[in-house]
């Protein structure tokens, strides 16, 4: 019985986190629309945090998620992604993550 309750609790938390991510996307988009720096930063910070927490609830370690993001940035940089070519965003994020 405890195992079933634990599974139900875990499923409920995962569903809640998914709704929080959608809610924060809406918060971010409203912030962009309004030109509110505070809302944009708050929405982005919440999105990043909830994505990490969702990954953890799904059994993905924070470290492995960081490594996956770094690997993805490396591939985008090597493939000549437009954000890298135009603004250097990919290498900037890669450097930021490596310095942590």
């Amino acid at each position: 019985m405890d195992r079933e309750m634990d599974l139900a609790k875990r499923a409920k938390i995962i569903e809640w986190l998914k709704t929080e991510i959608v809610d924060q996307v809406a918060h971010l988009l409203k912030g962009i629309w309004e030109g509110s720096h505070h809302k944009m930063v708050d929405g982005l910070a919440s999105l990043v945090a909830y994505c990490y927490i969702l990954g953890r609830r799904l059994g993905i370690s924070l470290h492995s998620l960081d490594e996956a993001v770094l690997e993805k940035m490396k591939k985008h940089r090597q493939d000549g992604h437009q954000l890298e070519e135009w603004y250097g965003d990919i290498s900037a994020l890669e450097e930021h993550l490596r310095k942590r």
Side-chain angles (χ1 to χ4, degrees):
M1 190 69 161
D2 286 341
R3 181 171 160 77
E4 289 176 15
M5 291 202 26
D6 185 52
L7 285 173
K9 183 179 175 182
R10 288 175 55 198
K12 186 175 182 178
I13 290 295
I14 288 169
E15 291 305 311
W16 178 79
L17 285 165
K18 289 168 30 180
T19 63
E20 283 298 310
I21 288 170
V22 171
D23 188 46
Q24 292 308 315
V25 168
H27 184 73
L28 170 62
L29 295 177
K30 284 178 186 175
I32 293 169
W33 177 256
E34 295 169 4
S36 171
H37 184 265
H38 172 74
K39 283 186 181 178
M40 287 186 275
V41 171
D42 185 61
L44 286 168
S46 294
L47 278 171
V48 170
Y50 285 132
C51 285
Y52 272 98
I53 293 167
L54 178 60
R56 189 164 184 253
R57 292 292 95 221
L58 295 172
I60 301 165
S61 75
L62 302 177
H63 178 75
S64 65
L65 187 54
D66 279 347
E67 290 299 315
V69 171
L70 276 169
E71 192 59 37
K72 185 167 286 291
M73 293 305 100
K74 179 180 175 183
K75 183 176 181 342
H76 284 328
R77 187 174 38 78
Q78 290 171 342
D79 292 346
H81 195 284
Q82 282 182 331
L83 287 173
E84 179 61 24
E85 289 182 11
W86 293 353
Y87 305 106
D89 289 342
I90 304 298
S91 57
L93 177 57
E94 196 176 2
E95 182 180 337
H96 170 74
L97 291 172
R98 289 194 190 285
K99 287 183 177 180
R100 286 205 273 169

Coordinates of all heavy atoms in Angstrom, one line a residue, residues 22-95:
V22 N 4.6 25.1 -17.7 CA 3.7 25.8 -18.7 C 3.3 27.2 -18.1 O 3.3 28.2 -18.8 CB 2.4 25.0 -18.9 CG1 1.4 25.8 -19.7 CG2 2.8 23.7 -19.7
D23 N 3.0 27.3 -16.8 CA 2.6 28.5 -16.2 C 3.8 29.5 -16.3 O 3.5 30.7 -16.5 CB 2.3 28.3 -14.7 CG 1.7 29.5 -14.0 OD1 0.8 30.2 -14.6 OD2 2.1 29.8 -12.9
Q24 N 5.0 29.1 -16.1 CA 6.1 30.0 -16.1 C 6.4 30.4 -17.5 O 6.9 31.5 -17.7 CB 7.4 29.3 -15.5 CG 7.2 29.2 -14.0 CD 6.8 30.5 -13.3 OE1 7.4 31.5 -13.5 NE2 5.9 30.4 -12.4
V25 N 6.1 29.6 -18.5 CA 6.3 30.0 -19.9 C 5.3 31.2 -20.2 O 5.7 32.2 -20.8 CB 6.0 28.9 -20.9 CG1 5.9 29.4 -22.3 CG2 7.2 27.9 -20.9
A26 N 4.1 31.1 -19.7 CA 3.1 32.1 -19.8 C 3.6 33.4 -19.1 O 3.5 34.5 -19.6 CB 1.7 31.7 -19.3
H27 N 4.1 33.2 -17.9 CA 4.7 34.4 -17.1 C 5.8 35.1 -17.9 O 5.8 36.3 -18.0 CB 5.2 33.8 -15.8 CG 5.6 34.9 -14.8 ND1 4.8 35.7 -14.2 CD2 6.9 35.2 -14.4 CE1 5.5 36.6 -13.4 NE2 6.8 36.3 -13.5
L28 N 6.7 34.3 -18.5 CA 7.8 34.8 -19.3 C 7.2 35.6 -20.5 O 7.7 36.7 -20.7 CB 8.7 33.7 -19.7 CG 9.8 34.1 -20.7 CD1 10.7 35.1 -20.2 CD2 10.5 32.8 -21.2
L29 N 6.3 35.0 -21.2 CA 5.8 35.7 -22.4 C 5.0 37.0 -22.0 O 5.1 38.0 -22.7 CB 4.8 34.7 -23.1 CG 5.5 33.5 -23.7 CD1 4.5 32.6 -24.4 CD2 6.6 33.9 -24.7
K30 N 4.3 37.0 -20.9 CA 3.7 38.2 -20.4 C 4.8 39.3 -20.1 O 4.6 40.4 -20.4 CB 2.8 38.0 -19.2 CG 1.5 37.3 -19.5 CD 0.7 37.0 -18.3 CE -0.5 36.2 -18.5 NZ -1.2 35.8 -17.3
G31 N 5.9 38.8 -19.5 CA 6.9 39.7 -19.2 C 7.6 40.3 -20.4 O 7.9 41.5 -20.4
I32 N 7.7 39.5 -21.4 CA 8.3 40.0 -22.7 C 7.3 41.0 -23.3 O 7.7 42.1 -23.8 CB 8.6 38.8 -23.7 CG1 9.7 38.0 -23.1 CG2 8.9 39.3 -25.1 CD1 9.9 36.6 -23.8
W33 N 6.0 40.7 -23.3 CA 5.0 41.5 -23.9 C 5.0 42.9 -23.2 O 4.9 43.9 -23.8 CB 3.7 40.9 -23.8 CG 2.5 41.7 -24.3 CD1 1.6 42.4 -23.5 CD2 2.2 42.0 -25.6 NE1 0.8 43.1 -24.3 CE2 1.1 42.9 -25.6 CE3 2.8 41.7 -26.9 CZ2 0.5 43.4 -26.8 CZ3 2.2 42.2 -28.0 CH2 1.1 43.0 -28.0
E34 N 5.1 42.9 -21.9 CA 5.0 44.1 -21.1 C 6.4 44.8 -21.0 O 6.5 46.0 -20.6 CB 4.6 43.7 -19.6 CG 3.2 43.2 -19.5 CD 2.9 42.6 -18.2 OE1 3.7 42.7 -17.2 OE2 1.8 42.1 -18.0
G35 N 7.4 44.1 -21.5 CA 8.8 44.7 -21.4 C 9.3 44.8 -19.9 O 10.1 45.6 -19.6
S36 N 8.8 43.9 -19.1 CA 9.1 43.9 -17.7 C 10.4 43.0 -17.5 O 10.3 41.8 -17.5 CB 8.0 43.3 -16.8 OG 8.4 43.1 -15.5
H37 N 11.5 43.6 -17.2 CA 12.7 42.9 -17.0 C 12.6 42.0 -15.8 O 13.0 40.8 -15.9 CB 13.9 43.9 -16.7 CG 15.2 43.3 -16.5 ND1 15.7 42.9 -15.3 CD2 16.1 42.9 -17.4 CE1 16.9 42.4 -15.4 NE2 17.2 42.3 -16.7
H38 N 11.9 42.4 -14.7 CA 11.7 41.6 -13.5 C 10.9 40.3 -13.9 O 11.3 39.2 -13.5 CB 11.0 42.4 -12.4 CG 10.6 41.5 -11.3 ND1 11.5 41.1 -10.4 CD2 9.4 41.0 -10.9 CE1 10.9 40.3 -9.5 NE2 9.6 40.3 -9.8
K39 N 9.8 40.5 -14.6 CA 9.0 39.3 -15.0 C 9.8 38.3 -15.9 O 9.6 37.1 -15.8 CB 7.7 39.7 -15.6 CG 6.7 40.2 -14.6 CD 5.4 40.5 -15.3 CE 4.3 41.0 -14.3 NZ 3.1 41.3 -15.0
M40 N 10.6 38.9 -16.8 CA 11.4 38.0 -17.7 C 12.4 37.2 -16.9 O 12.5 36.0 -17.1 CB 12.0 38.9 -18.8 CG 11.1 39.4 -19.8 SD 11.9 40.3 -21.2 CE 12.1 41.9 -20.5
V41 N 13.1 37.9 -16.0 CA 14.1 37.2 -15.2 C 13.5 36.2 -14.3 O 13.9 35.0 -14.2 CB 15.0 38.2 -14.4 CG1 15.9 37.4 -13.4 CG2 15.8 39.0 -15.4
D42 N 12.4 36.6 -13.7 CA 11.6 35.6 -12.8 C 11.1 34.4 -13.6 O 11.3 33.3 -13.1 CB 10.5 36.4 -12.1 CG 9.8 35.6 -11.1 OD1 10.5 35.1 -10.1 OD2 8.6 35.3 -11.3
G43 N 10.5 34.6 -14.7 CA 10.0 33.5 -15.5 C 11.1 32.6 -16.0 O 11.0 31.4 -15.9
L44 N 12.2 33.2 -16.5 CA 13.3 32.3 -16.9 C 13.9 31.5 -15.8 O 14.2 30.4 -15.9 CB 14.4 33.2 -17.6 CG 14.0 33.7 -19.0 CD1 15.0 34.8 -19.5 CD2 14.0 32.5 -20.0
A45 N 14.1 32.2 -14.6 CA 14.7 31.5 -13.5 C 13.8 30.4 -13.0 O 14.3 29.3 -12.7 CB 14.9 32.5 -12.3
S46 N 12.5 30.6 -13.0 CA 11.6 29.6 -12.6 C 11.6 28.4 -13.6 O 11.6 27.3 -13.2 CB 10.2 30.1 -12.4 OG 10.1 31.1 -11.4
L47 N 11.7 28.7 -14.9 CA 11.7 27.7 -15.9 C 13.0 26.8 -15.7 O 12.9 25.6 -15.7 CB 11.7 28.3 -17.3 CG 10.4 28.7 -17.8 CD1 10.6 29.4 -19.1 CD2 9.6 27.4 -18.1
V48 N 14.1 27.4 -15.5 CA 15.4 26.7 -15.3 C 15.3 25.8 -14.1 O 15.6 24.6 -14.1 CB 16.6 27.6 -15.3 CG1 17.8 26.9 -14.9 CG2 16.8 28.3 -16.6
A49 N 14.8 26.4 -13.0 CA 14.7 25.6 -11.7 C 13.7 24.5 -11.9 O 14.1 23.3 -11.5 CB 14.3 26.6 -10.6
Y50 N 12.5 24.7 -12.4 CA 11.6 23.6 -12.5 C 12.0 22.6 -13.5 O 11.7 21.4 -13.3 CB 10.2 24.2 -12.9 CG 9.5 24.9 -11.8 CD1 8.9 26.1 -12.0 CD2 9.4 24.3 -10.6 CE1 8.2 26.8 -11.0 CE2 8.7 24.9 -9.5 CZ 8.1 26.2 -9.8 OH 7.4 26.8 -8.7
C51 N 12.8 22.9 -14.5 CA 13.3 21.9 -15.4 C 14.3 21.0 -14.7 O 14.3 19.8 -14.9 CB 13.9 22.5 -16.7 SG 12.7 23.1 -17.8
Y52 N 15.2 21.6 -13.9 CA 16.1 20.8 -13.2 C 15.4 19.9 -12.2 O 15.7 18.7 -12.0 CB 17.1 21.7 -12.4 CG 18.3 22.1 -13.2 CD1 18.4 23.3 -13.8 CD2 19.4 21.2 -13.2 CE1 19.6 23.7 -14.5 CE2 20.6 21.6 -13.9 CZ 20.6 22.8 -14.5 OH 21.8 23.1 -15.2
I53 N 14.4 20.4 -11.5 CA 13.7 19.6 -10.5 C 12.9 18.5 -11.2 O 12.9 17.4 -10.7 CB 12.8 20.5 -9.6 CG1 13.6 21.5 -8.8 CG2 11.8 19.7 -8.8 CD1 12.9 22.6 -8.1
L54 N 12.3 18.8 -12.3 CA 11.5 17.8 -13.1 C 12.5 16.7 -13.5 O 12.2 15.5 -13.3 CB 10.8 18.4 -14.3 CG 10.1 17.4 -15.2 CD1 9.0 16.7 -14.4 CD2 9.5 18.1 -16.4
G55 N 13.6 17.1 -14.0 CA 14.6 16.1 -14.4 C 15.0 15.2 -13.2 O 15.1 13.9 -13.3
R56 N 15.2 15.8 -12.1 CA 15.6 15.0 -10.8 C 14.4 14.1 -10.5 O 14.7 12.9 -10.1 CB 15.9 16.0 -9.7 CG 16.4 15.3 -8.5 CD 17.1 16.4 -7.6 NE 17.7 15.7 -6.5 CZ 17.2 15.7 -5.2 NH1 16.1 16.3 -4.9 NH2 17.8 15.0 -4.3
R57 N 13.2 14.5 -10.5 CA 12.0 13.7 -10.2 C 11.9 12.5 -11.2 O 11.4 11.5 -10.9 CB 10.7 14.5 -10.2 CG 10.6 15.5 -9.1 CD 10.4 14.8 -7.7 NE 11.7 14.8 -7.1 CZ 12.1 13.7 -6.4 NH1 11.4 12.7 -6.2 NH2 13.3 13.7 -5.8
L58 N 12.4 12.7 -12.4 CA 12.4 11.7 -13.5 C 13.6 10.8 -13.4 O 13.8 9.9 -14.3 CB 12.3 12.3 -14.9 CG 11.0 13.1 -15.1 CD1 11.1 13.8 -16.5 CD2 9.8 12.1 -15.1
G59 N 14.5 11.0 -12.4 CA 15.6 10.1 -12.2 C 16.9 10.6 -12.9 O 17.8 9.8 -13.1
I60 N 16.9 11.8 -13.3 CA 18.1 12.4 -14.0 C 18.9 13.3 -13.0 O 18.3 14.2 -12.5 CB 17.7 13.2 -15.3 CG1 16.9 12.4 -16.2 CG2 18.9 13.9 -15.9 CD1 16.1 13.1 -17.3
S61 N 20.1 13.0 -12.9 CA 20.9 13.7 -11.9 C 21.2 15.2 -12.4 O 21.2 15.4 -13.7 CB 22.2 13.1 -11.6 OG 23.1 13.2 -12.7
L62 N 21.3 16.1 -11.5 CA 21.6 17.5 -11.9 C 22.9 17.6 -12.7 O 23.0 18.3 -13.7 CB 21.6 18.4 -10.7 CG 20.4 18.4 -9.8 CD1 20.6 19.2 -8.5 CD2 19.2 18.8 -10.5
H63 N 23.9 16.8 -12.3 CA 25.1 16.8 -13.0 C 25.0 16.3 -14.4 O 25.5 16.8 -15.4 CB 26.2 15.9 -12.2 CG 27.5 15.8 -12.9 ND1 28.4 16.9 -13.0 CD2 28.0 14.8 -13.6 CE1 29.4 16.5 -13.7 NE2 29.3 15.3 -14.1
S64 N 24.2 15.2 -14.6 CA 24.1 14.6 -16.0 C 23.3 15.6 -16.8 O 23.5 15.6 -18.0 CB 23.5 13.2 -15.9 OG 22.2 13.2 -15.5
L65 N 22.4 16.3 -16.3 CA 21.6 17.3 -17.0 C 22.6 18.4 -17.5 O 22.5 18.8 -18.6 CB 20.5 17.8 -16.2 CG 19.5 18.8 -17.0 CD1 18.9 18.1 -18.2 CD2 18.3 19.1 -16.1
D66 N 23.4 18.9 -16.6 CA 24.4 19.9 -16.9 C 25.3 19.4 -18.1 O 25.6 20.1 -19.0 CB 25.3 20.2 -15.7 CG 24.7 21.2 -14.8 OD1 23.7 21.8 -15.1 OD2 25.2 21.4 -13.7
E67 N 25.8 18.1 -17.9 CA 26.6 17.6 -19.0 C 25.9 17.4 -20.3 O 26.5 17.7 -21.4 CB 27.1 16.2 -18.5 CG 28.2 16.3 -17.4 CD 29.4 17.1 -17.8 OE1 29.9 16.8 -18.9 OE2 29.8 17.9 -17.0
A68 N 24.6 17.1 -20.3 CA 23.8 17.0 -21.5 C 23.7 18.3 -22.2 O 23.8 18.5 -23.4 CB 22.5 16.4 -21.2
V69 N 23.5 19.4 -21.4 CA 23.4 20.7 -21.9 C 24.7 21.1 -22.6 O 24.7 21.7 -23.7 CB 22.9 21.8 -20.9 CG1 23.0 23.2 -21.4 CG2 21.5 21.5 -20.4
L70 N 25.8 20.9 -21.8 CA 27.1 21.2 -22.4 C 27.4 20.5 -23.7 O 27.9 21.1 -24.7 CB 28.2 20.8 -21.4 CG 28.5 21.9 -20.3 CD1 29.4 21.3 -19.2 CD2 29.2 23.1 -20.9
E71 N 27.0 19.2 -23.7 CA 27.2 18.4 -25.0 C 26.4 19.0 -26.1 O 26.8 19.1 -27.3 CB 26.9 16.9 -24.7 CG 27.3 16.0 -25.8 CD 28.8 16.0 -26.1 OE1 29.6 16.1 -25.1 OE2 29.2 15.9 -27.3
K72 N 25.2 19.4 -25.8 CA 24.3 19.9 -26.8 C 24.9 21.3 -27.3 O 24.8 21.5 -28.5 CB 22.9 20.1 -26.3 CG 21.9 20.6 -27.3 CD 20.5 20.5 -26.8 CE 20.0 19.1 -26.8 NZ 19.7 18.5 -28.0
M73 N 25.4 22.1 -26.4 CA 26.0 23.4 -26.8 C 27.2 23.1 -27.7 O 27.4 23.8 -28.7 CB 26.3 24.2 -25.6 CG 25.1 24.7 -24.8 SD 23.9 25.6 -25.8 CE 22.6 24.4 -26.0
K74 N 28.0 22.2 -27.3 CA 29.2 21.8 -28.1 C 28.8 21.4 -29.5 O 29.4 21.9 -30.5 CB 30.0 20.7 -27.4 CG 31.2 20.2 -28.2 CD 31.9 19.1 -27.4 CE 33.1 18.6 -28.2 NZ 33.7 17.4 -27.5
K75 N 27.8 20.6 -29.7 CA 27.3 20.1 -31.0 C 26.8 21.3 -31.8 O 27.1 21.4 -33.0 CB 26.3 19.0 -30.8 CG 25.8 18.5 -32.2 CD 24.8 17.4 -32.0 CE 24.4 16.8 -33.3 NZ 24.5 17.5 -34.5
H76 N 26.0 22.2 -31.2 CA 25.4 23.3 -31.9 C 26.6 24.2 -32.4 O 26.5 24.7 -33.5 CB 24.5 24.1 -31.0 CG 23.2 23.5 -30.8 ND1 22.5 22.8 -31.7 CD2 22.3 23.6 -29.7 CE1 21.3 22.4 -31.3 NE2 21.2 22.9 -30.0
R77 N 27.6 24.4 -31.5 CA 28.7 25.3 -31.9 C 29.4 24.7 -33.1 O 29.8 25.4 -34.0 CB 29.6 25.5 -30.7 CG 30.8 26.4 -30.9 CD 31.6 26.7 -29.6 NE 31.8 25.5 -28.8 CZ 32.7 24.6 -29.1 NH1 33.5 24.6 -30.1 NH2 32.9 23.6 -28.2
Q78 N 29.7 23.4 -33.0 CA 30.4 22.7 -34.1 C 29.6 22.7 -35.4 O 30.2 22.7 -36.5 CB 30.7 21.3 -33.7 CG 31.8 21.2 -32.6 CD 31.9 19.8 -32.0 OE1 31.1 18.9 -32.2 NE2 33.1 19.5 -31.3
D79 N 28.3 22.6 -35.3 CA 27.4 22.6 -36.4 C 27.2 24.0 -37.0 O 26.5 24.2 -38.0 CB 26.1 22.0 -36.1 CG 26.2 20.5 -35.8 OD1 27.2 19.9 -36.1 OD2 25.2 19.9 -35.3
G80 N 27.7 25.0 -36.4 CA 27.6 26.4 -36.9 C 26.2 27.0 -36.6 O 25.6 27.6 -37.5
H81 N 25.6 26.7 -35.5 CA 24.3 27.2 -35.2 C 24.2 28.7 -35.4 O 25.2 29.4 -35.0 CB 23.9 26.8 -33.7 CG 22.5 27.0 -33.4 ND1 21.9 28.2 -33.1 CD2 21.5 26.0 -33.2 CE1 20.6 28.0 -32.8 NE2 20.4 26.7 -32.9
Q82 N 23.1 29.2 -35.9 CA 23.0 30.6 -36.2 C 23.2 31.5 -34.9 O 23.7 32.6 -35.0 CB 21.6 31.0 -36.8 CG 21.6 30.6 -38.2 CD 20.2 31.0 -38.9 OE1 19.2 31.0 -38.2 NE2 20.2 31.2 -40.1
L83 N 22.7 31.0 -33.8 CA 22.9 31.8 -32.5 C 24.3 32.0 -32.2 O 24.7 33.0 -31.6 CB 22.1 31.2 -31.4 CG 20.6 31.4 -31.4 CD1 20.0 30.5 -30.3 CD2 20.2 32.8 -31.3
E84 N 25.1 31.0 -32.6 CA 26.6 31.1 -32.3 C 27.2 32.0 -33.4 O 28.0 32.9 -33.0 CB 27.2 29.7 -32.4 CG 28.7 29.7 -32.2 CD 29.1 30.3 -30.8 OE1 28.4 30.2 -29.9 OE2 30.3 30.8 -30.7
E85 N 26.8 31.8 -34.6 CA 27.4 32.7 -35.7 C 27.1 34.1 -35.5 O 27.9 35.0 -35.7 CB 27.0 32.2 -37.0 CG 27.6 30.8 -37.4 CD 27.2 30.4 -38.8 OE1 26.6 31.2 -39.6 OE2 27.4 29.2 -39.1
W86 N 25.9 34.4 -35.2 CA 25.4 35.8 -35.1 C 25.8 36.5 -33.8 O 26.1 37.7 -33.8 CB 23.9 35.9 -35.3 CG 23.4 35.5 -36.7 CD1 24.2 35.2 -37.8 CD2 22.1 35.3 -37.1 NE1 23.4 34.9 -38.8 CE2 22.1 35.0 -38.4 CE3 20.9 35.5 -36.4 CZ2 20.9 34.7 -39.1 CZ3 19.7 35.2 -37.1 CH2 19.7 34.9 -38.5
Y87 N 25.7 35.8 -32.7 CA 25.8 36.4 -31.4 C 26.8 35.8 -30.4 O 27.1 36.3 -29.4 CB 24.4 36.5 -30.6 CG 23.4 37.1 -31.5 CD1 22.4 36.3 -32.1 CD2 23.3 38.5 -31.6 CE1 21.3 36.9 -32.8 CE2 22.3 39.1 -32.4 CZ 21.3 38.3 -33.0 OH 20.4 38.9 -33.7
G88 N 27.3 34.6 -30.7 CA 28.2 33.9 -29.8 C 27.5 33.3 -28.6 O 28.1 33.0 -27.6
D89 N 26.1 33.2 -28.6 CA 25.4 32.7 -27.5 C 25.7 31.3 -27.0 O 25.7 31.0 -25.8 CB 23.9 32.7 -27.8 CG 23.3 34.2 -27.9 OD1 24.0 35.1 -27.4 OD2 22.2 34.3 -28.4
I90 N 26.0 30.4 -28.0 CA 26.2 29.0 -27.7 C 27.5 28.9 -26.9 O 27.6 28.3 -25.8 CB 26.3 28.1 -28.9 CG1 25.0 28.3 -29.7 CG2 26.6 26.7 -28.6 CD1 23.7 27.8 -29.1
S91 N 28.6 29.5 -27.4 CA 29.9 29.4 -26.7 C 29.8 30.2 -25.3 O 30.5 29.8 -24.4 CB 31.0 29.9 -27.5 OG 30.8 31.2 -28.0
A92 N 29.0 31.3 -25.2 CA 28.9 32.0 -24.0 C 28.2 31.1 -22.9 O 28.7 31.0 -21.8 CB 28.1 33.2 -24.2
L93 N 27.2 30.4 -23.3 CA 26.5 29.5 -22.4 C 27.4 28.3 -22.0 O 27.6 27.9 -20.8 CB 25.2 28.9 -22.9 CG 24.5 27.9 -22.1 CD1 24.2 28.5 -20.7 CD2 23.2 27.5 -22.8
E94 N 28.1 27.8 -23.0 CA 29.1 26.7 -22.7 C 30.1 27.1 -21.7 O 30.4 26.4 -20.8 CB 29.7 26.3 -24.1 CG 30.4 24.9 -24.0 CD 30.9 24.5 -25.4 OE1 30.7 25.3 -26.4 OE2 31.5 23.5 -25.5
E95 N 30.7 28.3 -21.9 CA 31.7 28.8 -21.0 C 31.2 29.0 -19.6 O 31.8 28.7 -18.6 CB 32.3 30.1 -21.6 CG 33.4 30.7 -20.7 CD 33.9 32.0 -21.3 OE1 33.8 32.3 -22.5 OE2 34.5 32.8 -20.5

